[in-house]
Amino acid sequence: MQKIKSSWFRFWAAVLAFVGVMHSKDADAARKTVTVTCGGTQSTDQIHVTSAECKLESTTTTSISLGDGGTVQCYCDDTTLLQYQMTCSKSTTYDANSEIAYTIWSLSNTRGTCKAECTVGATRSCSTSSYTGTQTCNVFGTWNTCNKTSCKSGYLLIDDTCYPECTVDDGTGFEITIYEGSSSSSTEA
């Protein structure tokens, strides 16, 4: 009996190892490294163009060209959902001595770092001074803002906003600040 268990264990271990290898090959095939160019096709004496590599999902292209303000979301690796965003920007400098303007194109990482503070898709509880809620980890590995689920004690939910409760002559109401230094009270509807 021991020999049969051992054989079955080796069989399933081999099957699971094969499936793991196939899965990682599928992931490699699905994501492709492309060259992202910011600011044109080539640098000149007065124009500096920059480029970087980026992993994209299911693409047939080998390069992408971005203009000023253009963005691209890149995967950090071949297996996770974690991403970062690169943005192309243009700046111009002027050399007063030579009276020549130089254009510099640059790619910068504007969102995500590939060092996640959370697992993509994970959720957690969160709260503010007036409500509790949940947060979801986005594809950049950071937590989205707190999504309100309920108001804390002492607050009333009205039109998706938690207002502080207050006592008015005819019962419980809520208080809204109209402008700095003033407030208005109303009875609960």
Side-chain angles (χ1 to χ4, degrees):
M1 187 69 168
Q2 184 66 25
K3 191 171 188 170
I4 293 173
K5 285 182 183 176
S6 178
S7 297
W8 275 106
F9 176 78
R10 280 191 296 242
F11 168 77
W12 284 110
V15 167
L16 292 173
F18 177 75
V19 168
V21 167
M22 293 306 294
H23 176 71
S24 72
K25 285 183 181 177
D26 288 345
D28 288 343
R31 294 191 183 150
K32 181 178 179 182
T33 301
V34 300
T35 301
V36 177
T37 304
C38 172
T41 56
Q42 66 184 43
S43 293
T44 66
D45 288 343
Q46 288 142 342
I47 299 175
H48 175 74
V49 174
T50 189
S51 62
E53 290 189 337
C54 173
K55 285 189 181 285
L56 297 178
E57 190 84 49
S58 304
T59 184
T60 57
T61 188
T62 58
S63 64
I64 295 174
S65 183
L66 298 176
D68 192 24
T71 62
V72 63
Q73 285 184 208
C74 308
Y75 285 92
C76 295
D77 55 43
D78 288 328
T79 57
T80 65
L81 297 175
L82 193 60
Q83 297 177 39
Y84 62 97
Q85 178 175 293
M86 287 193 294
T87 301
C88 175
S89 59
K90 173 184 173 182
S91 62
T92 303
T93 60
Y94 182 73
D95 183 343
N97 294 329
S98 64
E99 297 183 355
I100 296 175
Y102 295 93
T103 302
I104 301 169
W105 292 89
S106 60
L107 276 170
S108 58
N109 186 347
T110 53
R111 193 166 181 203
T113 63
C114 292
K115 291 182 180 176
E117 63 184 64
C118 54
T119 303
V120 177
T123 59
R124 72 177 182 183
S125 297
C126 57
S127 67
T128 68
S129 60
S130 61
Y131 63 85
T132 59
T134 58
Q135 288 177 296
T136 303
C137 184
N138 60 38
V139 295
F140 301 110
T142 57
W143 293 105
N144 288 331
T145 57
C146 191
N147 185 23
K148 184 184 324 143
T149 54
S150 64
C151 294
K152 288 184 174 179
S153 178
Y155 290 85
L156 296 172
L157 181 64
I158 300 170
D159 294 330
D160 200 38
T161 302
C162 295
Y163 293 102
E165 284 183 338
C166 61
T167 304
V168 291
D169 292 339
D170 57 350
T172 302
F174 62 95
E175 186 172 347
I176 301 173
T177 301
I178 298 172
Y179 59 89
E180 196 65 38
S182 77
S183 65
S184 174
S185 296
S186 178
T187 57
E188 185 176 6

